Amino acid sequence: DLDEEGGRHALSQALSFLRRHLPEGVLVTRGAEEVGVDPARVRSDVHTFRRALEAEEWGEAVAHYHGELLDGLHVAGAAPFTDWVGRERERLREAAAAAAWQDAHGLIARGYLVEAERAGQVALRLVPTDESAVRTFIEALAAGGDRAAALRFYSKFAEILVQELD
């Protein structure tokens, strides 16, 4: 609710406080308009998650997805920020689901059908209405020799659709 000058002053005070209380070098500035943290000094589950995705380490990526980005954070009067957080939450959740599906298919290919079913359950919890991914996974389970798991998975998906879509 501050004007630009007041906002810059409040930001300057906040940054001074952080510099006094954080170890040297954690905060970094990039010119006069940008401030951040040194990724070599601060660990983030989002960065670890993204690195695992880039390396196509699907199981690792899923293991580093710890739920909604900034879960529980609500900033009144900051619609652009709130919109951005909402889009990021959805993008990260969908990326985690895609990684879980990739992991599940890789496990099927290696003959680990029970583990594959578990990975598929994770993907299903993350994005419960992705019919195309579910159909492909059910077909892969059946082709991998576990028709019972394919039928169980189908039943679970049908239950979720009833709950989600009535």
Side-chain angles (χ1 to χ4, degrees):
D1 294 335
L2 300 172
D3 61 16
E4 185 174 346
E5 184 179 331
R8 286 185 180 278
H9 179 70
L11 177 61
S12 178
Q13 287 181 319
L15 291 173
S16 292
F17 173 85
L18 290 171
R19 284 191 178 100
R20 282 193 311 272
H21 291 88
L22 291 174
E24 178 89 22
V26 170
L27 284 180
V28 293
T29 55
R30 297 174 200 101
E33 296 292 319
E34 195 172 327
V35 65
V37 294
D38 180 356
R41 308 273 316 265
V42 177
R43 194 172 14 185
S44 159
D45 59 344
V46 173
H47 288 198
T48 306
F49 171 70
R50 286 181 177 152
R51 279 194 297 271
L53 287 176
E54 289 168 4
E56 297 183 358
E57 295 172 353
W58 310 121
E60 281 295 311
V62 174
H64 289 292
Y65 180 79
H66 298 294
E68 297 292 307
L69 174 69
L70 300 173
D71 193 24
L73 177 70
H74 302 285
V75 181
F81 176 75
T82 302
D83 293 344
W84 174 81
V85 168
R87 287 189 308 274
E88 281 299 296
R89 284 175 178 158
E90 183 176 349
R91 191 180 64 72
L92 291 168
R93 184 177 53 256
E94 288 175 355
W101 288 125
Q102 289 283 355
D103 188 36
H105 286 284
L107 289 163
I108 289 171
R110 292 191 307 274
Y112 299 114
L113 300 179
V114 172
E115 293 84 354
E117 188 178 0
R118 285 189 202 123
Q121 294 286 347
V122 169
L124 190 59
R125 279 192 302 275
L126 290 168
V127 181
T129 57
D130 188 352
E131 180 183 342
S132 178
V134 171
R135 184 179 340 106
T136 301
F137 180 67
I138 289 170
E139 290 169 352
L141 275 175
D146 197 341
R147 285 185 47 83
L151 290 171
R152 273 193 313 273
F153 204 86
Y154 171 79
S155 294
K156 179 69 173 175
F157 179 59
E159 287 174 24
I160 288 172
L161 287 180
V162 167
Q163 291 170 1
E164 293 285 323
L165 306 175
D166 194 29

